[in-house]
Amino acid sequence: MSYYPLTSIPDYFGIDALLTEEHKLIRQSIRDWVESFVMPQIDQAAQNHTDIPNLMRELGKVGALGPYIPVEYGGSGLDQISYGLIMQELERGDSAVRSAASVQSSLVMFPINEFGSEEQKKKYLPQLASGEMIGSFGLTEPNHGSDPGSMETYFKDMGDHYLLNGAKMWITNSPLCDIAVVWAKNEDGKVQGLIVERGMEGFTTPETHNKWSLRASKTGELVFNDVKVPKENLLPGVTGLKGPLSCLNSARYGISWGVIGAAIDCYCTAVQYSKERKQFGKPIGSYQLQQKKLAEFLTEITKAQLLCLQLGTLKNDHKATPAQISMAKRNNVKMAIDIARESRQILGGMGIMGEFPMMRHAANLESVITYEGTHDVHLLITGLDITGINAF
Ligand SMILES: Cc1cc2nc3c(=O)[nH]c(=O)nc-3n(C[C@H](O)[C@H](O)[C@H](O)COP(=O)(O)OP(=O)(O)OC[C@H]3O[C@@H](n4cnc5c(N)ncnc54)[C@H](O)[C@@H]3O)c2cc1C
């Protein structure tokens, strides 16, 4: 259970009036689920560096996996604002929970839905939507993070199958995944997507241990040693980096919304604490220094909410550009990590404890500010959009 009343979750500019009844219902149902399922166990999972048991199936049950995927393939056929609101509610619980839903929805289901064959959609999407199957997304490599175009993982056409070799690193859910959407170069050096299934000979998924961030999420490698991939597992609908980049656009959009949830959790906790905690005979919330912090948090959260709602409207109309999404991801993650760090101070010593969420969110957001394009890289994308000059 959250430490603050849920009625204190801010809507300072009356943005709710711009949402549909369906949006609000979806948000409420995910909020309730986060309260009952995530909040009671998230601190222990993060402290113990273990994933939340059964998380993906539970996310499937509440409709948080592939919400915008068509109903015929197991999704809910919802709009992009619904997807954003779901991400926001999940990340109020923890970035690891939102990451699980983001990867499954935007990085695994999205490419199969956009670029997959009819057979691939029927085979994988319903099981991914229900959470019976866990997917991962392999783009980053040990030597190529911000520059995925230089990737070394490759596959060769062997006539009746492809032979895949290489390695991916920093892969969310790799130790748990049943399938991986893997981006690799063909013999012409062009990037294509392959669906690799657990159990294929030569495919291993070693776990990455000792993270100080996203501790309730499993991270690992995807290693391919002469893996024979059936030809029907190639995603037929895309060639080139635009394949993985379009997935990242969808995921970055979800992150822009998600991190507002983490910021809200920190803000609401800080407001509540500042009213209860007394020093020098008065609540600390009565002092101007603390009020300044709270006022700035609310201002930044409100700006981020407005940015996301307009971005969602553009996305619904298929008009959101990758550069707009980069700007939103960059701005909102920085907003959230700043609020997590500053709000922790409002709690003094208590702010470092697991009973309160600030340290966990702040540590998680160190990953979120790096993955799906670093803070620097998104700035360069905006710079390129302004000047037309590539500064990478
Ligand atoms: C917890 C976690 C989960 C992840 N999950 C996934 C996943 O599921 N799938 C996946 O494929 N990847 C995943 N990633 C990888 C993530 O996307 C990369 O870490 C990220 O893209 C950055 O790559 P890198 O770590 O190699 O850093 P690098 O690219 O080596 O960057 C290091 C620093 O150099 C800066 N830099 C790089 N290029 C430039 C430039 N041209 N100009 C100025 N500065 C530059 C960067 O901004 C950064 O500060 C995950 C990462 C983490 C931490």
Side-chain angles (χ1 to χ4, degrees):
M1 274 253 304
S2 295
Y3 161 68
Y4 48 87
L6 296 184
T7 47
S8 67
I9 290 179
D11 176 25
Y12 202 65
F13 265 47
I15 296 168
D16 267 16
L18 303 172
L19 301 177
T20 64
E21 284 310 308
E22 189 183 42
H23 289 146
K24 288 185 247 183
L25 276 173
I26 290 163
R27 184 180 60 187
Q28 191 60 48
S29 72
I30 302 294
R31 190 171 287 176
D32 292 344
W33 176 79
V34 166
E35 282 299 298
S36 64
F37 185 78
V38 178
M39 293 306 194
Q41 55 180 329
I42 187 59
D43 180 58
Q44 275 311 301
Q47 299 268 6
N48 297 336
H49 206 335
T50 58
D51 54 322
I52 297 178
N54 237 3
L55 176 65
M56 207 58 92
R57 279 175 189 264
E58 290 294 323
L59 285 168
K61 274 191 214 157
V62 293
L65 302 177
Y68 52 76
I69 297 293
V71 175
E72 59 181 308
Y73 300 121
S76 308
L78 298 174
D79 74 347
Q80 291 293 327
I81 292 173
S82 305
Y83 176 54
L85 289 166
I86 291 170
M87 296 297 120
Q88 174 189 289
E89 293 308 314
L90 296 180
E91 199 148 358
R92 195 178 65 83
D94 195 82
S95 302
V97 178
R98 198 268 309 138
S99 294
S102 279
V103 169
Q104 186 95 341
S105 302
S106 287
L107 301 182
V108 180
M109 297 176 74
F110 174 87
I112 294 174
N113 186 53
E114 288 289 307
F115 311 124
S117 65
E118 193 53 32
E119 292 70 36
Q120 289 169 345
K121 291 186 203 184
K122 285 190 179 134
K123 180 174 176 189
Y124 300 110
L125 289 178
Q127 290 190 75
L128 289 163
S130 66
E132 288 159 76
M133 182 179 267
I134 297 178
S136 68
F137 171 87
L139 180 64
T140 307
E141 299 187 351
N143 295 326
H144 309 284
S146 299
D147 177 21
S150 301
M151 70 173 66
E152 293 163 49
T153 301
Y154 68 96
F155 63 96
K156 282 187 177 164
D157 190 337
M158 307 302 283
D160 61 342
H161 64 270
Y162 297 117
L163 202 62
L164 177 66
N165 276 288
K168 301 289 179 180
M169 193 179 176
W170 295 118
I171 307 304
T172 301
N173 274 343
S174 94
L176 304 173
C177 74
D178 301 295
I179 64 165
V181 171
V182 177
W183 300 95
K185 283 186 175 162
N186 64 21
E187 281 154 286
D188 298 327
K190 300 262 164 51
V191 172
Q192 289 194 280
L194 295 160
I195 303 171
V196 179
E197 298 187 13
R198 185 172 294 284
M200 287 180 178
E201 213 180 316
F203 174 40
T204 51
T205 60
E207 184 171 349
T208 302
H209 296 284
N210 298 335
K211 288 178 297 161
W212 281 109
S213 173
L214 284 186
R215 285 170 62 86
S217 166
K218 293 266 181 209
T219 309
E221 296 165 53
L222 301 172
V223 182
F224 316 105
N225 213 332
D226 280 338
V227 180
K228 285 183 183 173
V229 182
K231 288 209 146 173
E232 63 265 24
N233 285 29
L234 183 81
L235 293 177
V238 74
T239 303
L241 263 188
K242 69 173 184 283
L245 292 184
S246 64
C247 302
L248 294 178
N249 264 331
S250 177
R252 289 166 180 174
Y253 166 75
I255 292 171
S256 310
W257 280 91
V259 292
I260 297 174
I264 285 174
D265 198 34
C266 295
Y267 165 77
C268 291
T269 302
V271 171
Q272 183 71 19
Y273 190 87
S274 73
K275 290 180 189 167
E276 290 175 3
R277 174 73 175 167
K278 287 193 178 140
Q279 287 297 287
F280 302 96
K282 286 194 285 186
I284 56 170
S286 66
Y287 297 116
Q288 287 184 1
L289 283 175
Q290 306 310 321
Q291 288 190 5
K292 176 175 186 286
K293 287 189 172 115
L294 296 175
E296 287 175 352
F297 298 164
L298 181 59
T299 308
E300 293 307 315
I301 289 170
T302 303
K303 281 152 65 178
Q305 286 172 325
L306 287 163
L307 193 65
C308 272
L309 191 65
Q310 173 59 5
L311 187 64
T313 306
L314 289 171
K315 206 151 190 308
N316 276 342
D317 295 341
H318 306 285
K319 286 183 185 157
T321 66
Q324 287 170 331
I325 294 171
S326 278
M327 184 186 277
K329 191 265 185 186
R330 182 172 187 277
N331 182 77
N332 289 9
V333 178
K334 184 72 168 59
M335 172 282 294
I337 199 168
D338 286 348
I339 290 179
R341 289 168 179 163
E342 283 283 310
S343 64
R344 192 215 62 71
Q345 291 189 49
I346 294 181
L347 273 67
M350 289 309 284
I352 69 159
M353 299 302 292
E355 286 89 329
F356 295 99
M358 281 83 161
M359 280 296 282
R360 182 167 46 77
H361 283 308
N364 284 341
L365 290 163
E366 292 291 344
S367 288
V368 182
I369 206 165
T370 289
Y371 72 21
E372 305 272 354
T374 67
H375 196 61
D376 296 330
V377 163
H378 288 298
L379 183 93
L380 296 178
I381 291 171
T382 309
L384 168 61
D385 207 40
I386 295 168
T387 63
I389 303 166
N390 188 340
F392 286 86

